[in-house]
Amino acid sequence: MKPFCFADGLIIPTESATLHPMDLGLIRGYGIFDFFRTVNYSPLFLEDYLNRFISSAERTFLPLPYSRAQLSEIISLLIEKNNLENGGLRMVLSGGVSENHFSPAEGKLFIFAESLSLPAEEKFRDGIKLLTLEYVRPIADIKTTNYTLPVWHSVNWKRLGAEDVLYHWNGWVSESSRSNFFIVKDGVLHTPDQHILHGITRKHILDLVKNAVIRPISLEEVWEADEAFISSTTKILLPVTQLDDRKIGTGKPGPVTMDILEKFRALEKVTVA
C-alpha cells in the first residue's frame, strides 16, 4: 500500500483507515470494488472503471455519496499525493452497518493506492496453466468483494503450478477467478457471454478485434481450441497453453494471441499519451 488513501471523506495516511467490525463487508462479505492501473501518472480507461463502479453500487443497493467528477478529482489527488507513476488504485465500497446485520446499508468508501507488479515476461512468452473448476460466481456481472472460493482454492492451484482456474458449469465455461477468457479457433476469436464479469480489458480487446464472436463456449471446445488466453487489468493478456494436464493447441502462445497483446500494448500508449 502507498502512504495515502481516501477514507471518511478525506485523504489520510493509509495506516489510519478503519472499518467498523460489524460492517457487512466483514461479517457477510458484502461490498463492491474496482481496480485500475496508472500509466505515466494517468489512470488507464478511468471512465470505463467509474461506469462499472457506479453501476455496481446502484445494483447492490449501496449508496455512493460522490459524483463521477468528485471521484475523478479524488483519484487525481491520490495519484499526485502518492507519486503513483505506474501502479494501481483500488476503490472499495463496504456493505455498511445495518440494524439487522444483513440488509445493505450506507457503506464506507475507500480508495487505496498500490504498487503493482505485472506478470513476469516469461509468462507472456511461454504461457500459463489453468485448472478447471466447476463453479459459477454469484452475481458474476457485478464486481463484488466475494472471492471466498478462489482464495481458498488458490492454495491448491499454486501447489499444482497453475496461474489460476477456469470456471465451468454443466459443460459451459465462463471466466477465470479474476480474468476473462478467450479462445481462438481457425483464426477467429471467441469469448463466453454468460456468467461473466464484463471486464474493461475484455471490452477494449473486443473493440480491437472487430470480428470476435461472443457466445456460449463449451469446455469441449476449449480442449480443441488452437489458442486461448485470459485478460484482466493486472494480467493484461496472458496466453493459456495448458488446461489441467492437457496442452492447448501447440502448447505455446499462438500468433493471434500475441498480435492482440501487441495491439493492446499500443492502445495503452496512445490512451495515456
Side-chain angles (χ1 to χ4, degrees), residues 141-162:
D141 59 336
I142 300 176
K143 199 168 179 69
T144 71
T145 56
N146 182 2
Y147 282 70
T148 301
L149 183 126
V151 169
W152 170 74
H153 196 266
S154 66
V155 175
N156 181 56
W157 80 56
K158 289 175 182 177
R159 180 177 57 83
L160 296 174

Side-chain angles (χ1 to χ4, degrees), residues 41-269:
Y41 298 103
S42 295
L44 189 63
F45 310 133
L46 178 60
E47 290 305 312
D48 292 320
Y49 287 100
L50 290 179
N51 285 342
R52 188 168 67 183
F53 189 69
I54 292 168
S55 174
S56 293
E58 292 173 350
R59 296 178 64 195
T60 52
F61 313 105
L62 296 177
L64 179 60
Y66 298 93
S67 68
R68 177 187 300 270
Q70 289 173 318
L71 291 172
S72 295
E73 183 179 358
I74 294 165
I75 288 163
S76 295
L77 289 171
L78 282 173
I79 291 173
E80 180 181 357
K81 189 81 171 172
N82 288 290
N83 193 29
L84 197 66
E85 181 178 6
N86 297 298
L89 285 158
R90 185 180 305 272
M91 301 183 291
V92 182
L93 183 60
S94 72
V97 179
S98 64
E99 291 184 3
N100 64 359
H101 309 307
F102 198 81
S103 300
E106 184 174 346
K108 189 170 180 178
L109 175 67
F110 300 90
I111 306 179
F112 298 104
E114 305 176 17
S115 299
L116 178 64
S117 296
L118 295 176
E121 195 58 37
E122 64 192 44
K123 293 184 178 181
F124 296 102
R125 182 185 68 239
D126 301 332
I128 60 167
K129 172 184 177 180
L130 297 182
L131 300 178
T132 54
L133 181 62
E134 194 168 10
Y135 181 65
V136 171
R137 193 161 54 85
I139 48 177
D141 59 336
I142 300 176
K143 199 168 179 69
T144 71
T145 56
N146 182 2
Y147 282 70
T148 301
L149 183 126
V151 169
W152 170 74
H153 196 266
S154 66
V155 175
N156 181 56
W157 80 56
K158 289 175 182 177
R159 180 177 57 83
L160 296 174
E163 178 76 17
D164 213 314
V165 291
L166 177 62
Y167 295 150
H168 65 97
W169 190 260
N170 291 332
W172 300 99
V173 301
S174 53
E175 58 186 2
S176 183
S177 75
R178 295 156 292 170
S179 308
N180 289 117
F181 182 72
F182 297 78
I183 64 170
V184 177
K185 186 66 177 179
D186 298 326
V188 178
L189 184 67
H190 303 256
T191 191
D193 64 343
Q194 55 186 349
H195 304 306
I196 65 166
L197 179 72
H198 293 272
I200 305 306
T201 304
R202 174 184 182 270
K203 172 184 182 295
H204 287 279
I205 287 173
L206 293 175
D207 288 342
L208 289 171
V209 183
K210 300 302 183 185
N211 65 338
V213 182
I214 305 169
R215 63 174 179 83
I217 295 176
S218 69
L219 186 56
E220 184 177 347
E221 288 180 89
V222 179
W223 296 124
E224 298 174 353
D226 299 325
E227 306 174 35
F229 64 86
I230 57 174
S231 72
S232 74
T233 300
T234 56
K235 293 179 174 62
I236 308 176
L237 186 160
L238 283 178
V240 177
T241 52
Q242 185 177 342
L243 183 61
D244 293 335
D245 294 323
R246 295 169 62 174
K247 292 193 300 186
I248 299 294
T250 64
K252 297 180 180 179
V256 175
T257 298
M258 300 313 287
D259 179 63
I260 296 171
L261 175 59
E262 183 178 344
K263 288 177 178 176
F264 189 86
R265 283 174 163 166
L267 175 64
E268 282 188 8
K269 294 177 182 178

